[in-house]
Amino acid sequence: MGTQDEQTSGTGRRALLGAAVLGAGGAVLGLSGTARAAGPTGSAGPGKGGLKSLPVPTIIGHRGASGYRPEHTFGSYELALDLGADVVEAGDLVPTRDGHLVCRHEPEIGGTTDVADHPEFAGRKATKVLDGVSTTGWFTEDFTLAELKTLRAIERIPANRPHNTLYNGRWEIPTFEEVLKWQDEQTRKRGKQVWIYPETKHPTYFRKLGLGLEERVAKLLHKHGKDRRNSPVILQSFEPTSIQRLNKLVDNPLVVLLSAANTRPWDFVSTGDPRTVADLITPKGLREIAGYAQGIGPTLDLVITKKADGSLDKETTLVADAHKVGLILHPYTMRNENPFLPAEYRRGTDADAYGDAFGAFGRYFATGIDGVFTDNADTGVLARADFVNR
């Protein structure tokens, strides 16, 4: 998921994961109502259920279980499954210098790996303009895969989640091909189909560097037999033209990510297309998206607007308008900590504490969304059980 949804307020994690795992498991077993239990769907062929096999609302582990582990690591991905996630966002895809796809939140890896502790890479530090923003750090496109494999992942927002720093250095950077193999291994191990939800990151930026993402994604999906309509791999991007390109290369479910209404996708900026996200979420814009994608991933503020004080304001018509043209909605991102919740769901005076995440989940579920990205899959699964059994 993209940088558009990030905040960096100081937040602590206060959860007993053992109890969370048990609670999530119980909620999964107790699902009824409109939520459909996800059975094995197979990794390739038609007639296996596809998106319709997923529970609704779908709980998507945002970069894994990033509320509890450093994001985009196999530790984070596997914990998301343990906590009951229906789909794991594995991962945000960026290329290496030698053309491999790896899973990092951004191509700049100074904040998500221990690269700064490697003196042999000190000379790789650079300042680049990434989608119009001057960014200083270390970039995946300046490293070979072998070099990146010498690094280890660290917690991206330690001020928010100091407990996650316990796991710094435990996991390496996964490649997308390793994720595809891991998906099959986890499917066999768990006895049900594991779904993943990778994103093409900054595709216009990388295409100009001669490192086009879509063709590399398609090649790997084809190699592993996961490029079909009912394959358990949903592809997403903040750049509509990246999804249009993927639509010509693979048959996977495709989702256009949407940031704030007044923003413009970078591919639009790059080509001089004057449209904003506000134009894309009109009935006309949604009909256009439905011509090449199966869903949208809007920021939660496009589903329910916020007042100046950060509390929820008015529910928009986006859910109804998208459903009218056959699009599913998977908004982003639900998190348990106070700073990330609407103001009325924050609890106490401690900015580091968990707020009423269950209440917030329930409010968003009531809009009719088809699923949600969350850093805390266990909370999402329990909230879904509350919602469908109420």
Side-chain angles (χ1 to χ4, degrees), residues 17-78:
L17 285 184
V21 171
L22 291 175
V28 171
L29 292 175
L31 283 179
S32 62
T34 59
R36 303 184 296 273
T41 61
S43 65
K48 297 292 186 177
L51 285 174
K52 292 183 179 179
S53 70
L54 293 170
V56 176
T58 305
I59 303 303
I60 304 157
H62 186 230
R63 307 176 200 159
S66 53
Y68 311 119
R69 298 289 188 272
E71 64 193 29
H72 288 313
T73 60
F74 282 122
S76 183
Y77 297 159
E78 290 184 19

Side-chain angles (χ1 to χ4, degrees), residues 136-338:
T136 299
W138 291 263
F139 296 81
T140 59
E141 67 267 24
D142 295 331
F143 291 78
T144 66
L145 178 59
E147 289 172 331
L148 285 180
K149 283 295 187 179
T150 67
L151 307 179
R152 291 297 181 268
I154 63 173
E155 171 57 36
R156 183 178 60 84
I157 46 174
N160 296 65
R161 290 163 177 167
H163 293 78
N164 293 8
T165 63
L166 172 66
Y167 305 99
N168 284 355
R170 182 167 288 270
W171 295 287
E172 63 180 25
I173 298 173
T175 68
F176 185 43
E177 184 154 31
E178 288 170 345
V179 164
L180 293 172
K181 294 176 180 177
W182 168 86
Q183 179 185 23
D184 292 338
E185 293 167 358
Q186 292 295 313
T187 294
R188 289 191 295 269
K189 174 183 175 182
R190 297 171 187 270
K192 67 175 184 178
Q193 180 62 59
V194 168
W195 281 70
I196 61 173
Y197 210 136
E199 176 187 346
T200 57
K201 299 290 296 193
H202 306 287
T204 294
Y205 170 81
F206 284 119
R207 184 161 294 279
K208 290 181 178 179
L209 295 179
L211 292 167
L213 299 179
E214 295 84 3
E215 294 82 2
R216 287 174 167 80
V217 170
K219 182 178 179 180
L220 286 172
L221 291 176
H222 179 71
K223 176 181 177 181
H224 291 269
K226 298 179 181 180
D227 59 346
R228 307 176 191 178
R229 179 174 59 87
N230 287 330
S231 295
V233 181
I234 308 167
L235 301 173
Q236 57 177 330
S237 181
F238 277 101
E239 296 191 13
T241 56
S242 181
I243 295 300
Q244 291 171 329
R245 191 181 298 272
L246 284 166
N247 186 47
K248 297 177 181 178
L249 297 171
V250 297
D251 290 327
N252 297 73
L254 304 174
V255 170
V256 175
L257 299 170
L258 300 167
S259 189
N262 63 349
T263 64
R264 291 167 67 199
W266 184 252
D267 51 340
F268 286 13
V269 175
S270 181
T271 60
D273 188 327
R275 289 177 297 167
T276 65
V277 168
D279 296 308
L280 296 180
I281 60 175
T282 63
K284 178 183 177 181
L286 292 169
R287 282 195 301 272
E288 179 181 328
I289 291 174
Y292 58 86
Q294 286 67 52
I296 57 173
T299 175
L300 287 164
D301 290 351
L302 294 179
V303 177
I304 305 177
T305 61
K306 283 196 178 86
K307 300 176 183 177
D309 65 358
S311 61
L312 294 180
D313 191 10
K314 298 177 181 178
E315 186 173 327
T316 71
T317 63
L318 180 59
V319 174
D321 291 343
H323 284 166
K324 191 176 296 184
V325 295
L327 293 169
I328 61 170
L329 295 93
H330 290 161
Y332 65 91
T333 303
M334 281 297 301
R335 298 177 169 98
N336 285 356
E337 297 96 346
N338 271 330

